[in-house]
Amino acid sequence: MFFDLNLQIIGKLLLAAALGGLIGLEREFRRRPAGLRTNMFLCLGSAMFTLLSVAAADRFGGDHVRIAAQIIPGIGFIGAGAILRGRGGVVGLTTAATMFVVASVGIAVGAGLYVTAIFAAALILLALTFLGWLEEHYGLKTRILTFRYTAADAQAMLNRTHEILDEMHAPMLRYDLRRVGEESVLEFDAEISTPQEREMANRLSGFGGHFEALTGRSRRE
């Protein structure tokens, strides 16, 4: 009986799963939709389809890359489902791009380009971690955040918030001002960077009252 599994195939599949898993762990730590298992399966599946493409052509004839060539549009279809648009922003572009490039790592492993695959995975991790930190630290990336500010004087609270956002060149996208007991509650959306968020929290808290960020998301992540 023909036994098609060998150490080389096992090694390729394990390497693809490991590289995809490492990238997926980084995504998991950042609480992105495509995490550990998703990226592991994408990388493993791409390697598997590449192996199948070559094996099927060797056994039955035909183009050696016929099956593997369909990986790219397939990953594009999956990645498109990760991209959402709403509240004036686009969410999921980095997730979709990560899925796309993780698939290429799997194809490289399946094709036997082990060093290339490992190097590419290292570059992906570097871009996701180090470049992501630079974007956050230096305010290169903005997020649409929802804030809640509670204080006694409603009009003064609204005026202060508008003034600070205008200085940051970050207009208020939406706001809701209501009275709750003896205090006023202002909830508003603004597209700001992480340093701007910290500055606004410090400045508004300095006027008294309670300030907090409720939700937020990146426009490009």
Side-chain angles (χ1 to χ4, degrees):
M1 181 178 178
F2 181 76
F3 189 67
D4 55 276
L5 186 64
N6 55 52
L7 290 177
Q8 185 180 33
I9 293 177
I10 293 174
K12 287 182 176 182
L13 295 180
L14 288 176
L15 178 60
L19 294 177
L22 285 174
I23 297 169
L25 275 177
E26 192 280 337
R27 298 282 82 192
E28 200 80 53
F29 289 147
R30 288 179 175 266
R31 300 186 180 277
R32 301 305 180 195
L36 173 60
R37 289 179 296 179
T38 301
N39 284 284
M40 179 182 290
F41 289 159
L42 282 173
C43 198
L44 177 60
S46 298
M48 187 66 184
F49 278 121
T50 303
L51 289 170
L52 289 173
S53 188
V54 175
D58 287 341
R59 186 174 301 185
F60 305 111
D63 190 349
H64 282 71
V65 296
R66 183 175 182 180
I67 298 176
Q70 303 308 311
I71 296 174
I72 297 175
I75 296 301
F77 178 79
I78 296 173
I83 301 174
L84 300 174
R85 183 176 181 84
R87 293 174 59 191
V90 176
V91 182
L93 288 177
T94 300
T95 297
T98 302
M99 296 165 69
F100 188 77
V101 74
V102 163
S104 72
V105 173
I107 295 174
V109 173
L113 303 175
Y114 309 122
V115 177
T116 300
I118 294 172
F119 180 73
L123 281 181
I124 296 169
L125 286 171
L126 178 65
L128 290 174
T129 54
F130 180 67
L131 296 183
W133 177 83
L134 284 180
E135 287 180 334
E136 293 286 343
H137 185 73
Y138 291 102
L140 303 177
K141 179 173 60 180
T142 59
R143 297 175 295 168
I144 298 176
L145 293 169
T146 299
F147 298 99
R148 178 184 292 159
Y149 185 26
T150 304
D153 191 337
Q155 192 58 50
M157 177 172 59
L158 185 60
N159 292 338
R160 283 195 297 267
T161 304
H162 273 299
E163 179 183 348
I164 293 172
L165 289 174
D166 287 342
E167 291 177 5
M168 294 179 177
H169 304 288
M172 191 179 294
L173 303 177
R174 176 201 65 87
Y175 78 90
D176 175 51
L177 183 62
R178 62 184 184 273
R179 194 75 180 176
V180 179
E182 297 182 355
E183 294 185 313
S184 296
V185 177
L186 171 66
E187 287 189 7
F188 64 94
D189 293 345
E191 184 183 343
I192 59 177
S193 65
T194 299
Q196 288 176 324
E197 178 189 356
R198 289 194 293 263
E199 179 185 351
M200 186 168 63
N202 291 334
R203 293 180 63 177
L204 287 178
S205 298
F207 287 110
H210 179 67
F211 178 80
E212 60 181 328
L214 300 180
T215 59
R217 65 168 183 257
S218 164
R219 289 176 61 92
R220 294 179 293 274
E221 285 289 332

